[in-house]
Amino acid sequence: MKMRNAYIRFYRYLSFLKAIFYKFRVANILLCLVAFKVKSARAWCYPALVQIEPTNRCNLHCKLCPTGQKHLNRALSDLSLEQFQSIIDCLESSLAYLVLYVAGEPLLNKDILKMIGYAKKKNIYIRFSTNATNSCFGNGRGIKELVDSGVDELIIALDCIDRGAYEDFKGYDGFLEVSDNVQKIIRERGKRPAPFIHLQSIVTKDNESDLKKFLCLGKGLNVDKVSFKTVCINLYGFNGQEKYLPSRKEYVRGVYLRDDNPGSCFKPWISTTVLSNGSIVPCCFDMDGDWSFGNIFAEGFKKTWNNDAYTAFRKAVLCGPGELDLCQGCPGKNIPRNFIKGPR
């Protein structure tokens, strides 16, 4: 079993490296980082990491999610396959790492598997997240089709250790069906090394004492990795969410403890986010599109990437992202603190 797990992890890293070193993408990445290092407000190359939102619709009502709690200040929309293909065609020379989710459940987009297949033909590494409830699957978007799509990394957001906690947190009695679907995904993958499968939980005050149980649950389901994500509060119109912060400091983002200097963030030089309505925004923290630099379907990406609004934003980040409202709650240079190791 250990050899099998090592092989799966090795294959994951190999797939990532193949995407980076495809053609001249690695040179592009280095130029992006050099531009950040010399504090240029202009990016010298196009982004290597792009987050694209297939839809901002969701079928659950998670307590801390702006989509599930209907706090998003933009209309619900799905990205069409043609729109997605146009984004990939524009960025394929630089794009090595694609994240296919932002504010919704990506499997609700009827063309999501075709999108994955199209991006994989361009030698792009794909990270994907789903709640894996039964209503996500159907109409040609079954578990077999998802596993066969070529997606490299699959995150399953379970977040809870039992049926009651799941229904309380997500507003739906789906714990058993998601657990069953995880097992079906593992069985369907069989001896293949991909996709790499994460089981993820957000850590709140309500479940911080259950992390060992969640870890055991993940091991029992034979997933490749169990991830614990720190909670983000009081954004997107939410207030009074401090009650969800864990009592143990090691489970809380430093920005909420006032003991963490986020420093400068390099993401505006090397990555970007495209919402389902075409808005180009700095990152996934801008779910409402309040910091939109333009629309990829109206102005095009190349005209937007170094326009006045984007360069002004990079200048502001260089001065200190802690001063930007958008960056509140983000760990910045300490981005790994989005995730914690959890108990052993």
Side-chain angles (χ1 to χ4, degrees):
M1 181 61 73
K2 288 185 177 180
M3 287 293 293
R4 165 74 176 159
N5 291 340
Y7 170 61
I8 290 172
R9 289 175 181 272
F10 172 76
Y11 186 88
R12 173 195 176 199
Y13 292 125
L14 182 63
S15 299
F16 179 56
L17 290 173
K18 284 172 65 178
I20 288 177
F21 284 95
Y22 181 71
K23 293 187 177 179
F24 299 104
R25 288 175 183 163
V26 67
N28 174 83
I29 293 170
L30 292 173
L31 284 172
C32 289
L33 294 176
V34 170
F36 166 70
K37 276 295 188 180
V38 302
K39 299 185 177 182
S40 169
R42 292 180 61 84
W44 293 356
C45 285
Y46 294 121
L49 187 157
V50 177
Q51 190 157 2
I52 298 177
E53 181 182 69
T55 181
N56 62 345
R57 296 182 295 120
C58 192
N59 56 331
L60 295 183
H61 305 283
C62 302
K63 285 183 176 180
L64 297 173
C65 177
T67 305
Q69 294 299 314
K70 302 187 185 305
H71 278 232
L72 281 187
N73 290 323
R74 56 188 171 98
L76 299 180
S77 61
D78 287 8
L79 200 68
S80 73
L81 178 60
E82 293 74 20
Q83 289 173 327
F84 177 82
Q85 290 172 335
S86 70
I87 298 171
I88 298 300
D89 290 345
C90 173
L91 296 174
E92 66 173 291
S93 62
S94 65
L95 175 53
Y97 194 107
L98 175 62
V99 179
L100 265 182
Y101 59 91
V102 181
E105 167 52 55
L107 280 173
L108 296 184
N109 186 307
K110 64 182 179 63
D111 292 318
I112 186 64
L113 300 183
K114 293 178 182 178
M115 293 177 180
I116 293 172
Y118 190 81
K120 285 309 298 178
K121 290 179 181 177
K122 310 288 186 179
N123 292 289
I124 297 168
Y125 185 94
I126 301 175
R127 181 182 174 99
F128 187 87
S129 178
T130 177
N131 59 52
T133 52
N134 285 344
S135 58
C136 294
F137 301 104
N139 298 320
R141 301 188 308 279
I143 286 174
K144 182 182 188 307
E145 289 77 13
L146 176 60
V147 173
D148 292 344
S149 67
V151 63
D152 296 283
E153 199 170 337
L154 181 61
I155 301 168
I156 299 168
L158 184 60
D159 296 313
C160 306
I161 62 160
D162 59 42
R163 191 172 173 180
Y166 188 98
E167 184 171 9
D168 178 66
F169 187 70
K170 293 177 178 282
Y172 174 68
D173 183 10
F175 179 81
L176 296 179
E177 71 184 58
V178 175
S179 299
D180 185 52
N181 286 338
V182 173
Q183 293 178 307
K184 289 178 180 177
I185 290 169
I186 295 288
R187 287 197 298 269
E188 185 60 42
R189 184 181 67 176
K191 294 182 179 181
R192 289 176 287 180
F196 186 89
I197 299 168
H198 291 251
L199 192 69
Q200 181 176 287
S201 177
I202 292 177
V203 182
T204 68
K205 190 168 186 176
D206 294 333
N207 71 358
E208 65 178 311
S209 61
D210 295 329
L211 300 193
K212 284 188 177 180
K213 293 179 182 178
F214 191 83
L215 191 63
C216 291
L217 174 64
K219 289 181 177 179
L221 292 171
N222 291 317
V223 299
D224 302 313
K225 182 178 180 179
V226 175
S227 300
F228 297 105
K229 189 173 184 179
T230 54
V231 70
C232 184
I233 62 169
N234 293 343
L235 300 175
Y236 314 111
F238 286 111
N239 291 296
Q241 291 186 317
E242 291 83 2
K243 62 183 180 181
Y244 291 108
L245 289 177
S247 57
R248 295 181 62 174
K249 289 185 177 181
E250 61 265 36
Y251 295 165
V252 181
R253 296 187 184 192
V255 290
Y256 299 128
L257 301 172
R258 305 297 183 218
D259 67 353
D260 197 12
N261 175 18
S264 292
C265 173
F266 66 87
K267 292 189 73 174
W269 283 260
I270 200 168
S271 71
T272 196
T273 297
V274 182
L275 302 180
S276 57
N277 60 9
S279 290
I280 300 170
V281 298
C283 65
C284 61
F285 265 67
D286 190 11
M287 290 188 183
D288 281 330
D290 293 331
W291 294 75
S292 177
F293 305 120
N295 189 287
I296 198 166
F297 307 124
E299 293 90 2
F301 185 81
K302 294 181 178 180
K303 290 183 178 179
T304 306
W305 183 232
N306 275 314
N307 66 12
D308 291 344
Y310 226 135
T311 53
F313 181 81
R314 292 191 189 102
K315 287 179 181 178
V317 170
L318 289 171
C319 292
E323 302 301 316
L324 295 168
D325 291 341
L326 175 67
C327 302
Q328 303 307 307
C330 176
K333 69 177 180 181
N334 299 317
I335 205 77
R337 287 189 67 170
N338 275 354
F339 295 89
I340 57 173
K341 292 183 178 179
R344 295 188 178 276

